[in-house]
Amino acid sequence: MATQRTIAGPCTAWPEDSAFIREVLDRIGDKWTVLVVSTLGAGPLRYSDLQASVPGISQRMLTVTLKELERDGLVTRTAYPEVPPRVVYALTDLGRSLLAAVMSLAGWAAEHHGTIAAHRRAHATTGVGRAATRAG
């Protein structure tokens, strides 16, 4: 006799073709998006100031992330006709509506990074869910 499968989670409420929802989650859940959006939450920044504020992001990744955030309507790019040219990035209203969620996610990561690092060290030694075995 077959057992009945229980389906749970947020995906059950989504349309059958939910690829676009997954694409949006992929964009807003990306580590660079979280860091760029949370950084711009303090106010508009020039490209170089934004790059200096997000440790570890390469010029290429910052450019790609900003273009995708601009395409999705989360960030605006304003170029000023000066010499040298000045470009400023800022959150849109839609981007600001995401700010609380990304700040919460970033805060959770900061609060729990030590515990996760300890679990990673333990995993490297024993593996997840199993004790180390020794050949005797």
Side-chain angles (χ1 to χ4, degrees), residues 110-134:
E111 181 180 343
H112 297 287
H113 78 279
T115 303
I116 293 170
H119 284 285
R120 287 182 180 184
R121 287 190 299 275
H123 178 269
T125 304
T126 62
V128 170
R130 58 187 178 271
T133 57
R134 297 181 191 204

Side-chain angles (χ1 to χ4, degrees), residues 67-101:
K67 283 182 180 182
E68 289 174 350
L69 291 172
E70 185 180 11
R71 176 200 65 193
D72 291 347
L74 299 169
V75 167
T76 59
R77 176 186 186 275
T78 305
Y80 295 92
E82 302 172 352
V83 177
R86 180 170 56 107
V87 177
V88 174
Y89 293 90
L91 292 177
T92 62
D93 289 341
L94 183 61
R96 280 189 291 284
S97 74
L98 179 60
L99 190 56

Side-chain angles (χ1 to χ4, degrees), residues 32-110:
W32 298 124
T33 295
V34 168
L35 295 172
V36 167
V37 168
S38 60
T39 300
L40 288 174
L45 287 172
R46 293 179 72 158
Y47 182 93
S48 59
D49 295 331
L50 184 55
Q51 185 175 20
S53 299
V54 180
I57 195 167
S58 67
Q59 183 175 348
R60 179 187 179 284
M61 281 313 303
L62 180 56
T63 299
V64 166
T65 301
L66 287 168
K67 283 182 180 182
E68 289 174 350
L69 291 172
E70 185 180 11
R71 176 200 65 193
D72 291 347
L74 299 169
V75 167
T76 59
R77 176 186 186 275
T78 305
Y80 295 92
E82 302 172 352
V83 177
R86 180 170 56 107
V87 177
V88 174
Y89 293 90
L91 292 177
T92 62
D93 289 341
L94 183 61
R96 280 189 291 284
S97 74
L98 179 60
L99 190 56
V102 298
M103 291 301 289
S104 179
L105 188 58
W108 184 93

